[in-house]
């Protein structure tokens, strides 16, 4: 049974395979073997429910959509290993700026995001974003002269991937979904915001990555269900207090705001109104959901939608 786990890329928890000869404590740094090489990670004790769920996955007795790949512990990091880890972190910073300088020299249209070096120093990975395909053969040639006796990996990622590995805090005040629990990016377009009655202001509906907020998908189905039976804005309706026109909708409360013939606006449950084919002499201001906020009027809303450079899953 798995008792320990580590957080790896994009905050994904992976169960640990611990040899009988190794004794672990919660919070200890361990050296594990991954597909990228040897990595130094912190071990955590997992609760019994998670341990049992992983055990079922290992036996093939579960229906979960994600089966975390177990990682094998090589050893617990010694004090000397921890010093080596600090040195590697410093090397990653200097290597990042060395590569960045070479990118400038070659005038390549690419944005370097992060540099990672495995604990065994056998592989160095440079993550970058780019609006189009980059011919980095000359850059790679120079990198092999700077970083000798090490495997070099130049990895193209999307802007959503960039945000997920750099981490941060969203406008909600919580850690980014993409760097905490979100494993796959759903396709997001501006229709999701329109259907939820949100103002189409880029500063309100886009995240740090410059794309539409992932959370626009979380409650979308609830809004669609709530909108069933709602009359369109601007339609003529009969209410318990007479004729009027629909001026706005309260999806979650199930209420419809109606401007009456006397000019007053009143709210009614959607079950208490009925659409009628009548000409009601009432003028209303129909909200234009395509209008930008004044400060964002220069931004093309299409730039916020997903494209081939949004995410690659190539982390």
């Amino acid at each position: 049974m798995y008792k320990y786990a580590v957080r790896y890329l994009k905050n994904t928890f992976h169960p640990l395979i611990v040899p009988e000869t190794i004794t672990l404590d919660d919070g200890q740094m361990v050296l594990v073997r991954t597909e990228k090489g040897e990595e130094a990670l912190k071990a955590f004790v997992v609760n019994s429910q998670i341990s049992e769920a992983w055990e079922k996955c290992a036996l093939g007795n579960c229906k979960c959509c994600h089966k975390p790949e177990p990682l094998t512990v090589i050893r617990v990091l010694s004090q000397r290993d921890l010093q080596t880890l600090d040195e590697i972190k410093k090397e990653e910073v200097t290597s990042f700026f060395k590569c960045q300088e070479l990118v400038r020299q070659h005038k390549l249209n690419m944005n370097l995001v992060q540099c990672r070096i495995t604990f065994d120093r056998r592989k160095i990975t440079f993550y970058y974003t780019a609006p189009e395909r980059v011919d980095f053969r000359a850059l790679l040639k120079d990198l092999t002269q700077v970083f000798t006796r090490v495997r070099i990996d130049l990895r193209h990622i999307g802007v959503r991937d960039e945000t997920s590995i750099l981490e941060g805090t969203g406008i909600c005040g919580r850690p980014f979904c993409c760097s905490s629990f979100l494993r796959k990016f759903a396709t997001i377009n501006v229709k999701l915001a329109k259907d939820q009655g949100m103002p189409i202001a880029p500063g309100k509906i886009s995240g740090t990555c410059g794309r539409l907020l992932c959370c626009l998908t979380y409650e979308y189905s609830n809004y669609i269900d709530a909108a069933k039976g709602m009359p369109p804005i601007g339609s003529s309706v009969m209410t318990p207090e007479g004729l009027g026109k629909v001026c706005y909708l309260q999806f979650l409360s199930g209420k419809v705001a109606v401007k009456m013939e006397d000019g007053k606006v009143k709210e009614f449950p959607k079950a208490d109104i009925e659409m009628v084919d009548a000409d009601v002499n009432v003028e209303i201001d129909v909200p234009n959901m395509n209008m930008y906020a004044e400060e964002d009027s220069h931004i093309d809303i299409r730039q916020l939608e997903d494209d081939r450079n949004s995410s690659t899953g190539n982390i």
Side-chain angles (χ1 to χ4, degrees):
M1 184 175 289
Y2 299 111
K3 296 182 178 179
Y4 295 91
V6 291
R7 280 196 185 104
Y8 195 36
L9 295 175
K10 293 184 67 174
N11 260 337
T12 304
F13 275 95
H14 290 261
L16 284 179
I17 300 174
V18 185
E20 296 180 358
T21 56
I22 297 177
T23 302
L24 278 186
D25 292 324
D26 183 43
Q28 276 190 310
M29 294 294 295
V30 295
L31 190 64
V32 298
R33 184 172 290 108
T34 71
E35 60 179 7
K36 298 180 182 296
E38 295 180 0
E39 302 269 10
L41 303 169
K42 182 180 288 188
F44 297 92
V45 174
V46 298
N47 61 44
S48 57
Q49 290 89 346
I50 293 178
S51 182
E52 290 174 5
W54 281 344
E55 194 70 21
K56 289 180 180 179
C57 284
L59 297 174
N61 296 329
C62 74
K63 298 180 181 179
C64 65
C65 59
H66 173 68
K67 180 181 177 181
E69 188 69 27
L71 302 176
T72 302
V73 175
I74 300 173
R75 68 173 184 272
V76 176
L77 262 61
S78 64
Q79 193 61 38
R80 186 178 180 84
D81 289 331
L82 293 175
Q83 292 175 356
T84 300
L85 182 59
D86 288 338
E87 294 171 0
I88 290 174
K89 295 300 180 184
K90 294 176 182 177
E91 288 178 19
E92 288 177 342
V93 175
T94 56
S95 299
F96 176 91
F97 287 111
K98 286 180 182 178
C99 182
Q100 194 173 60
E101 181 59 32
L102 289 173
V103 169
R104 290 197 195 99
Q105 291 178 13
H106 288 281
K107 298 180 180 179
L108 297 175
N109 188 17
M110 57 188 287
N111 174 47
L112 204 60
V113 174
Q114 193 179 66
C115 169
R116 283 181 177 165
I117 302 174
T118 57
F119 188 83
D120 53 15
R121 287 189 170 97
R122 293 183 178 178
K123 183 178 180 180
I124 181 170
T125 304
F126 295 101
Y127 295 97
Y128 71 92
T129 60
E132 55 190 16
R133 188 178 180 87
V134 178
D135 184 0
F136 50 70
R137 287 175 293 182
L139 171 64
L140 187 59
K141 184 178 179 181
D142 286 347
L143 287 173
T144 55
Q145 295 176 354
V146 175
F147 304 100
T148 57
R149 296 192 298 273
V150 63
R151 181 184 170 189
I152 299 171
D153 184 9
L154 285 166
R155 186 156 294 203
H156 177 234
I157 60 174
V159 290
R160 288 193 186 274
D161 301 314
E162 174 187 4
T163 304
S164 70
I165 65 175
L166 293 180
E167 303 182 3
T169 303
I171 58 175
C172 59
R174 298 182 61 84
F176 293 147
C177 298
C178 57
S179 59
S180 53
F181 68 88
L182 200 62
R183 299 291 167 257
K184 294 182 179 180
F185 294 108
T187 300
I188 305 174
N189 55 56
V190 75
K191 183 178 183 295
L192 297 178
K194 289 181 178 180
D195 289 347
Q196 294 177 64
M198 299 182 68
I200 308 305
K204 301 290 185 181
I205 60 174
S206 62
T208 304
C209 60
R211 297 295 189 269
L212 293 171
L213 292 166
C214 293
C215 55
L216 288 176
T217 64
Y218 298 167
E219 298 179 356
Y220 182 66
S221 59
N222 294 336
Y223 277 89
I224 295 302
D225 291 338
K228 293 178 180 177
M230 289 283 199
I233 294 177
S235 59
S236 300
V237 294
M238 174 62 75
T239 74
E241 299 186 22
L243 288 170
K245 279 189 178 181
V246 177
C247 54
Y248 63 86
L249 306 172
Q250 299 281 12
F251 291 113
L252 299 184
S253 64
K255 291 185 177 181
V256 179
V258 180
K259 189 173 183 179
M260 312 302 292
E261 290 182 304
D262 59 5
K264 295 181 180 179
V265 176
K266 298 182 179 181
E267 291 186 355
F268 302 93
K270 64 180 180 181
D272 292 348
I273 64 172
E274 181 182 354
M275 291 183 61
V276 294
D277 186 13
D279 186 16
V280 181
N281 187 25
V282 173
E283 292 186 3
I284 62 170
D285 295 324
V286 179
N288 188 347
M289 301 308 295
N290 293 315
M291 291 297 291
Y292 298 136
E294 185 177 346
E295 67 272 14
D296 296 326
S297 59
H298 64 285
I299 300 176
D300 185 353
I301 198 67
R302 290 173 297 181
Q303 296 176 1
L304 304 180
E305 297 185 337
D306 286 326
D307 55 25
R308 62 179 183 177
N309 290 314
S310 295
S311 59
T312 63
N314 198 27
I315 298 179

